Amino acid sequence: SQGILRGGTANSDSHTLAVETLGYPRTLVFAGQSLASFDRERFNAAVRQGRMVGSNGPVLLACIDGEDGGCHEPSLESFRPRSGAALRVEVRAAPWIPVEEIRVVVNGRVAARVAADLAVPADPFGSDGVLRYQGAIPVDDLLAGVSGDAWVVVEAGSHLWPAADREED
């Protein structure tokens, strides 16, 4: 919101063995290549362009319909959504990874939550039930009350506890 553009990454900022989970978060970079055809320059360019997502288990794929006819995936590139555009979201996770809600954050505020339509695997130790959600949210609903440009973050995982300053300090 202050004009500094950075792509989202995951970080394993661990200081102790007892509190933080070591090495759990992952950054998934969308460089359009396989391991067999890995090109370091292409990978680095994708990172600089913000074509990546951070994850602590769920794999979240999201895009917004653009005026140019494409569906724009995460990046630092600005674009104009088409009239009637949708945020298209797909969440996949291993059965033992909790996915209790999806949150859509617009300019730092939660603009939408999805919880009712999430699939819950029958066996948390099985291999079925990886697709947890696939759907679309109207962009007009997300941008209600927003004028000008906006940035969007989509999160999937456990419910977040309300944050409050109970001591008013």
Side-chain angles (χ1 to χ4, degrees):
S1 295
Q2 296 177 346
I4 301 169
L5 301 178
R6 299 285 185 262
T9 63
N11 182 12
S12 176
D13 187 14
S14 47
H15 301 277
T16 68
L17 293 175
V19 179
E20 294 91 9
T21 305
L22 303 175
Y24 190 52
R26 300 284 194 268
T27 299
L28 309 175
V29 179
F30 300 113
Q33 58 186 354
S34 67
L35 185 58
S37 65
F38 181 77
D39 179 311
R40 182 180 303 177
E41 294 304 317
R42 186 173 179 179
F43 177 86
N44 290 343
V47 170
R48 284 191 298 276
Q49 295 164 358
R51 298 187 185 286
M52 58 193 164
V53 298
S55 178
N56 62 352
V59 174
L60 195 146
L61 304 173
C63 68
I64 296 177
D65 302 322
E67 274 188 338
D68 60 2
C71 200
H72 293 259
E73 297 175 332
S75 77
L76 300 177
E77 179 183 348
S78 62
F79 68 94
R80 184 180 305 274
R82 72 168 169 75
S83 177
L87 167 65
R88 301 182 187 288
V89 178
E90 179 176 304
V91 178
R92 294 177 177 267
W96 57 87
I97 300 290
V99 179
E100 298 168 340
E101 72 177 0
I102 299 168
R103 294 172 295 281
V104 181
V105 179
V106 177
N107 291 346
R109 299 197 188 285
V110 176
R113 290 179 192 270
V114 175
D117 296 332
L118 300 179
V120 178
D123 179 4
F125 301 108
S127 58
D128 294 330
V130 171
L131 180 62
R132 303 300 187 83
Y133 177 81
Q134 191 171 42
I137 302 167
V139 169
D140 289 342
D141 293 353
L142 299 173
L143 298 180
V146 174
S147 62
D149 293 344
W151 54 270
V152 177
V153 172
V154 183
E155 304 172 328
S158 298
H159 292 290
L160 293 182
W161 291 96
D165 181 3
R166 298 183 186 265
E167 297 170 2
E168 298 182 9
D169 61 356

